Amino acid sequence: MVGQSRVQRALSKIGFYAAIGAYVLFAIFPIYWTVKISVTPTRLLYTEGIKLWPSAMTMENYSAVLSATDFPRYFLNSLIVSISTSLIVTAIASLAGYALSRFQFRGKAVVSLLLLLTQTFPLVMVIPPIFRIMGSIGLTDNLYGLIVIYTAFNIAFATFLMQSFFDGIPKELEEAAMIDGCTRSTALRRIVLPLTLPGMGATISFVFTAAWSELLFALMLINSESQKTFSVGLLTFIGKFAVDWGQMMAASVMALIPVCIFFAFLQRYLVTGLTAGAVKG
Amino acid sequence: MASVTLRNVSKSFGSVHVLSGINLEIADGEFVVLVGPSGCGKSTLLRSIAGLEEVSAGDIMIGVRRVNDVAPRDRDIAMVFQSYALYPHMNVEDNMSFSLKLRKESVSKIGTRVNQASGTLGLGALLERLPKQLSGGQRQRVAMGRAIVRDPKVFLFDEPLSNLDAKLRAQMRTEIKALQQSLGTTSIYVTHDQIEAMTMANRIVVLNEGVIQQVGAPLELYDKPANTFVAGFIGSPTMNFIEGVAGAKGEVKLADGSSIATGATSLKPGHEVTLGIRPEHLQLSGKGLRGEVQVIEPLGMTTQIAVKALGQQLTLMAMERTALSPGQPVHLSASSKHIHVFDRANGRRFALT
Amino acid sequence: MTLASREQMTAKAPIRRWSMAAEPWLYLSPALVCIVTVLLVPLIIGISYSFWKFSAFKSQFAGLDQYRAMASDTVLHDALVNTLWWTVGSLFFQFFLGLGLALLLNRPFYGRRTVQALVFLPWAVPTFLTGLTWSWLFNPLIGPLPHIFYALGIQSEPVTILASPQTAMWGPIIANIWFGIPFFAITLLAARKSIPSEIYEAASIDGASAWQQFTKVTMPFLAPTIAITVMLRTVWIATFADLIYVMTQGGPAGSTNTIATYIYVSAFKALDKGYASAIAMLLLVLLIIYALLVIQMRRSLLKDA
């Protein structure tokens, strides 16, 4: 700023970068530490456990996880659940978001309010009934059950998100297309959908991340080894096999990979996403 | 190419009447401008002709066909939007050829049409660009190009120039007018800018609150406005309005007791009237209405003078430069043939005799 | 021709109008069906559960017994207090650290995009991984934190803070802060960016210091965003059970047991869904009261302003 002495300016600059550095350190350190332990050979774990970087590196934890445990199975289950959920939710939410964005109709405010309420109400409320209902219709211990529940949980948020993407497309584009010779549905297909594709990608990523992270309902509904998702598998792994730290961390790092990939893509949409789903984690 | 006929067209949302009883005949090849303040219904009328909105009653005919129930794509019209509405994911060439492709025209025909249109509009070098890589004026041209490749029966323009800066607007005004004259396509043009209306139209339709106020050639509207609304809307700076009471033989008595001669000799004495005088018809003179100079705005070619008289502000446009200074007392007069007389009760014009 | 088409039109119009009105509902129906069957119906069933008592073999109507049982449930009372701690502790640090980050990121500097990606990353980390990672960091065998705390004199010996009832709650709270800072930073940064820079220029010409600009310009502009995000986050954190469940399962000795984990554990581990539902009702009522209070406060604040 104008009017400050050079010393003051230098000091405030140092303070600024120190603060930024502290935030980056705080954000990255836990992830860094997990990665570090995952590549530390077991024999060095206790002697060098708290060193910043081990004197030797190994990939054997990763190969052990991939070959000797059920984690590949868990990983696949999680992928199935998360991909199916995100595709179904995005399809349903695109329709609903289009309706809310493009139509004026009686009851619209009520629908929006209903969606908003399901966004804000605590999901722990439905834990007891869902546990019983899912049991009575045979959807426990089954990936379909999870997909159904995750779909319902994420629809409201995804609908608001898609609505905001549709709102961003000027209505005149559709009108111009209709004058140019489109029916409403060809205008939707040739003009609106191509323009919403990035938004749909963002919605898929948000829902994927949410489904990938879910723990409580999966833990409650899944028992058998073959149906476990990654979160459940990792947690039961800890309970069962005392502690093989290296393998656990290697498994964790692997669970982190898909969300990191999506996160890289999501960056641009974080603000839209968080305002649409202000309550979501 | 075709004529456009509107018969008793009305549109209302509940008790709100957006358009009421619009009757209008637009001849083949004519350039008609719909003008009015915002919210007057001009855009709604245009969009109803396009088929983007439904009307509550009346007939819309393009040529001899009643199109009320015809989808926009089958009306054979082209429209230029205020926001241009270019498809952001298509380049200039695809934007222009989109409608032809939808009509399954042959590749060679699409090619020649697009080349012709882009040549006319000087877009040849931009065909591969995306809309976001174009300037405002270029986007405007692409929107025009998209309309003309179609060779439609009717062009519809919805305030196409309002997003451009003043200089470009004046240039595009001339270009659109020239283009329309060479193509000879019936055109309906909506604007809130009365200068655009005056310069471009064969005929102007002035709308207010969903009702047609007057239809006529630009100078006809300027010289013989049908009511105070049209009188105040057309012309810049706006017409001066002075209230008065009719006396004998066209004399009108003003608030300060002075009187002024008008051409409306058939006025009944005692009738309450509003006088309208355009700024260029108000003159500084030795006698007449007394006032005091407030502000002087030299514009180069003319000088605009604000005078306080009769407790209101009157604007005067002088062709010559002036040595007046603010605060100076002046007298104003106007020739009786340049004084418009309106009925104060309903705003309608009295015929001058 | 005109006559014929007009007749057609009158016949066609009602159908057309009807289909126009039905169209949005057609698009909305999959979403609505999903939400009603998987969320609303269970919610209503859950409310009805709270009036029943379930055991392994039978279930019977219990009237208000479950609600009466809550009054004498000391675990529940502790959980209420814990919930308050958990919520206030997490929210306070999430908010202020998030605000600080937002203000830092609002200034242009070299490498801002990269920094932004790094500091927002915790938001994307699955909560079960967040919980596990932090409990490992607190573990003296493989984690550095106990040793750091010991070296700094905060702890008398390098042990995990998760094992002691006095300190255990800080574990999940710290993990929650780590996970929640990006949320506040992102929303507040977006709100901060929407403040026109002319206002700051005007303020500095009028002689406002940096601190005055912050209190007189930034904060009033951010206030609406702050109010809504803090309220929503309070509800969200109060009902957020994952982290605590992963890190401590409510222990040791119930010291990290919040209402949300208590509901989860009672519904899932104990058999009595009725009692779990009654607690869930209590939580819902508390949250509604909270929301109403906040809305009331906001209204009176707006009136004063």
Side-chain angles (χ1 to χ4, degrees), chain A residues 115-148:
Chain A
L115 291 177
L116 197 69
L117 284 181
T118 64
Q119 276 262 100
T120 40
F121 96 43
L123 291 180
V124 284
M125 295 288 306
V126 291
I127 284 183
I130 280 192
F131 191 41
R132 271 182 69 97
I133 296 169
M134 286 294 178
S136 64
I137 56 172
L139 279 179
T140 50
D141 206 15
N142 174 327
L143 297 182
Y144 294 118
L146 286 186
I147 294 174
V148 169

Side-chain angles (χ1 to χ4, degrees), chain B residues 57-108:
Chain B
D59 300 319
I60 300 173
M61 320 264 297
I62 295 177
V64 291
R65 186 164 71 137
R66 183 177 183 274
V67 294
N68 287 45
D69 293 311
V70 176
R73 69 197 147 98
D74 298 322
R75 293 193 182 192
D76 202 4
I77 48 171
M79 183 155 165
V80 178
F81 291 82
Q82 180 176 1
S83 61
Y84 316 136
L86 301 180
Y87 310 123
H89 56 306
M90 299 182 190
N91 64 22
V92 169
E93 183 171 9
D94 291 338
N95 260 288
M96 299 216 299
S97 57
F98 186 61
S99 63
L100 298 175
K101 282 182 190 152
L102 285 170
R103 283 181 173 67
K104 307 221 161 38
E105 301 281 5
S106 69
V107 178
S108 62

Side-chain angles (χ1 to χ4, degrees), chain B residues 267-308:
Chain B
L267 273 179
K268 256 189 269 164
H271 203 104
E272 296 194 318
V273 296
T274 302
L275 302 182
I277 310 169
R278 296 219 176 263
E280 67 270 28
H281 296 146
L282 211 51
Q283 286 163 342
L284 295 170
S285 58
K287 56 188 171 85
L289 195 55
R290 284 218 320 250
E292 181 182 287
V293 175
Q294 280 191 306
V295 181
I296 297 169
E297 301 173 32
L299 300 173
M301 191 165 74
T302 59
T303 307
Q304 196 170 315
I305 306 168
V307 176
K308 190 165 183 182

